């Protein structure tokens, strides 16, 4: 496979389906929808029959029937149950070629739980870096994984065919495979997901008891910092607990540096304070651009959008017509105003073209 | 003025210009652009002549010339220099009606610096809740303040005409005035801006030294949590230092809760961990205007205000003490009458509480 050009298929596709999804919450339902879009048959299972009905009604697949023989099983249950369910599936499919993966946020724990299973070679863990502060099948979306990193974390005894099948599944959803060992994965997500979530929660916690007139000063910054903290406390409690070692290492660093900040502010030690802030700025620059590309210069284009039905969808449609790749969309929707402001983040080189295109379609833009 | 209908202007607009902007960085340039859009003449000043040239070239105004007589001066210099520059402007405009405001992120410090100035009545602090992780005049934007909260923080000796002129300036930029005392403002922004910024920096700092393949798992969550940490370290060092007392109070709370989280993860105390996460989730829901919630029903409360120095500021202070979020203030200021009528627009649910609170402080209210 040569770098830089799209890979031509090197062999008959391994992934032909059916794909079984166990757990039809936000992620399971989205995987079903993405696989259906890719033309694969999808079988749905959940301890909550109404979730299966909802996901099925959304087009994510059909309820699994006795006698169905899935080629791949995706275990998408809450973290506390992952090891148990993966082991049960390996046992239930003993003697077959069925590949089993899970999409849990932590990879070492489930692997440890099934490491001594005689058929562990058919299991390959994975983890899509996509989600939402919403949950449940109704929040599912076929494009949830589009362009997002999806970690694949093979263990040493994993069957190569099984690994490649999981890679095809990841690509079928539109995600970008990222290869890590289970241990490295867990240390990575502690840093890029679990600790950021806890820090967002600690920050948002200060807002819970604030006087309402103080919160009137909330700008985009605090909304961004705290957004992920809206996620379901029970779920994130499970995730963080399942990755306690890596999370505690980083929280120790945070606590040490928080103490430095407190002392620096108290004593007026501006150099130390600026040092911590500069390290943070360096950290934001270390985050790779989308799809793992180096970060390109971006530019924002603002558009006034009347707050009437369909106007936002029309803006997106017009932006798409301009053939400009919109990297990010931020909607500043103040319910007390009749006009909202939408920020479209695009390649700096494409900004002028987008502005011209939108203006020619009657939009009021701001450079 | 009847309830339910927008207030017609009760007098000739006070704000006619010119508006002088001292400091043509991101915010100063954006204010110039917004005022020009509103048809006001704008005069630009900066210690860096190239910044004035850039801002002027972008259409934010023209360089100030000797003999120019600004009606309003907006001091938009870095926090460390605010008090000095505000005092200098008051002295340079002694004997005139020139109104002076600043847009510093902290309000108590600059006020203290000029509190004993003989012409302090012409100074009214303010603070737009808008910005960007970018800086400099080139990042300026005429729509930066559109629909954003902009705090106005009158002190007890502020001239009523000056307060109203600053309110008109805020509205001319498209921003939404939020009324707070200087002290309350500083406590509010510690919570909604300064501490979130520090938390983002502490989180982002963990990314600065991470292995690149770990960072490949960065999703939208960590990008959002850390985005504001990209801001200039020197500037944010000044801002945080200028608000040290309120920031330290909150960082003490954060440190206490971080210790709880560390202990809970270490000992497997899932209930405590979930409690912290649930408090965070509640905090995100406390931010006003999220999810495009429908506008809440509003109600007006009228208060008679003797037209003597400091009475309006005292009303604001008393309203703030009641912890009611004042959405709008309309001043019916008839120069021939010794008593003015002030309309406070608040959440309908909070109106009775505000009336009780103001009456208990000696105000004459009208339901």
């Amino acid at each position: 496979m040569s770098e830089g050009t799209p890979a031509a298929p090197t062999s008959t596709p391994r992934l032909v389906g059916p794909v079984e999804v166990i757990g039809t919450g936000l992620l399971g339902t989205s995987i079903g929808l993405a696989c259906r879009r890719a033309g694969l048959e999808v079988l749905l299972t959940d301890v909550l029959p109404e979730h299966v009905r909802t996901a099925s009604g959304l087009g994510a697949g059909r309820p699994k029937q006795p006698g169905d023989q899935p080629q791949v099983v995706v275990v998408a249950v809450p973290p506390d149950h992952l090891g148990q369910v993966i082991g049960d599936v390996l046992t239930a499919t003993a003697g077959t070629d069925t590949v089993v993966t899970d999409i849990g946020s932590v990879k070492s724990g489930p692997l440890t739980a099934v490491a001594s299973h005689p058929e562990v070679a058919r299991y390959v863990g994975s983890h899509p870096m996509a989600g939402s502060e919403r949950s449940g099948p109704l929040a599912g979306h076929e494009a949830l994984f589009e362009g997002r990193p999806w970690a694949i974390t093979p263990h040493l005894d994993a069957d190569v065919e099984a690994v490649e099948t999981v890679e095809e599944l990841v690509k079928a959803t539109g995600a970008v495979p990222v290869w890590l060992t289970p241990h490295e994965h867990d240390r990575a997500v502690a840093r890029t997901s679990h600790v950021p979530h806890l820090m967002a929660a600690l920050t948002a916690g200060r807002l819970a008891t604030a006087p309402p007139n103080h919160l009137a000063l909330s700008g985009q910054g605090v909304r961004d910092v705290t957004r992920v903290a809206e996620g379901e406390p029970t779920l994130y409690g499970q995730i963080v607990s399942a990755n306690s070692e890596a999370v505690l290492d980083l929280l120790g660093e945070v606590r040490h540096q928080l103490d430095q900040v407190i002392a620096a502010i108290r004593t007026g030690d501006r150099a130390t304070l600026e040092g911590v802030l500069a390290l943070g700025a360096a950290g934001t620059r270390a985050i790779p651009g989308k799809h793992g590309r180096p970060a390109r210069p971006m530019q924002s284009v603002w558009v006034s959008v009347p707050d009437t039905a369909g106007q936002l969808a029309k803006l997106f449609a017009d932006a798409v017509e301009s053939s400009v790749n919109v990297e990010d969309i931020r909607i500043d929707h103040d319910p007390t105003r009749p006009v909202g402001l939408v920020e479209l983040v695009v390649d700096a080189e494409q900004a002028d073209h987008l502005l011209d295109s939108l203006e020619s379609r009657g939009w009021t833009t701001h450079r």
Side-chain angles (χ1 to χ4, degrees), chain A residues 19-311:
Chain A
V19 175
E20 178 182 355
V21 178
I22 302 179
T24 51
L26 163 70
L27 292 172
T29 300
S30 298
I31 290 169
L33 290 166
C35 286
R36 290 291 302 129
R37 184 180 64 171
L40 295 161
E41 185 177 9
V42 177
L43 316 171
L44 303 173
T45 308
D46 201 303
V47 290
L48 299 171
E50 64 269 30
H51 273 200
V52 169
R53 279 196 298 274
T54 302
S56 183
L58 291 169
R62 65 167 175 82
K64 191 189 178 197
Q65 304 295 336
D68 279 333
Q69 295 290 340
Q71 184 200 10
V72 184
V73 178
V74 181
V75 180
V77 302
D80 279 356
H81 305 286
L82 280 172
Q84 179 68 47
V85 175
I86 296 166
D88 289 350
V89 173
L90 286 174
T91 300
T93 55
T96 72
D97 291 332
T98 298
V99 174
V100 182
T101 188
D102 74 306
I103 56 160
S105 310
V106 182
K107 305 278 38 122
S108 300
L111 178 59
T112 303
V114 298
S116 60
H117 194 286
E119 308 222 1
V120 71
R122 290 190 284 114
Y123 165 68
V124 178
S126 77
H127 178 210
M129 306 310 297
S132 169
E133 59 275 21
R134 294 163 298 167
S135 59
L138 281 170
H141 194 280
E142 65 177 13
L144 188 70
F145 309 105
E146 200 69 53
R148 303 285 186 182
W150 185 322
I152 305 175
T153 59
H155 57 89
L156 292 174
D157 299 320
D159 184 87
V160 173
E161 290 279 329
V163 174
E164 290 175 302
T165 303
V166 171
E167 181 185 12
E168 286 191 20
L169 174 73
V170 167
K171 289 181 173 172
T173 68
V176 180
V178 174
W179 300 90
L180 289 165
T181 66
H183 178 72
E184 283 297 300
H185 166 276
D186 290 355
R187 294 181 52 79
V189 290
R191 202 181 284 274
T192 58
S193 177
H194 306 165
V195 166
H197 190 101
L198 289 169
M199 295 295 276
L202 289 172
T203 310
R206 309 278 73 68
L207 306 177
T209 54
N213 60 339
H214 286 200
L215 293 180
L217 295 191
S218 302
Q220 196 56 44
V222 67
R223 287 176 160 80
D224 283 353
V225 174
T226 58
R227 182 182 59 80
V228 295
E230 203 178 338
E232 205 199 321
T234 312
L235 173 63
Y236 282 92
Q238 289 186 27
I239 293 173
V240 167
S241 300
N243 200 17
S244 57
E245 193 185 325
V247 169
L248 284 173
D249 280 354
L250 289 167
L251 288 184
E253 291 181 24
V254 168
R255 188 185 186 287
H256 175 70
Q257 210 164 45
L258 176 59
D259 282 349
Q260 286 185 316
V261 167
I262 290 172
I265 296 175
R266 190 169 282 145
T267 62
D269 174 2
R270 200 70 78 83
T272 297
L273 179 57
E274 282 180 20
V276 172
L277 291 166
L279 188 68
T284 65
R285 292 191 296 269
I287 299 175
K290 278 196 181 177
H291 317 308
R293 286 195 303 258
R296 291 153 304 173
M298 289 288 149
Q299 191 171 321
S300 291
V301 167
W302 283 267
V303 186
S304 296
V305 179
D307 196 6
T308 53
Q311 286 299 303

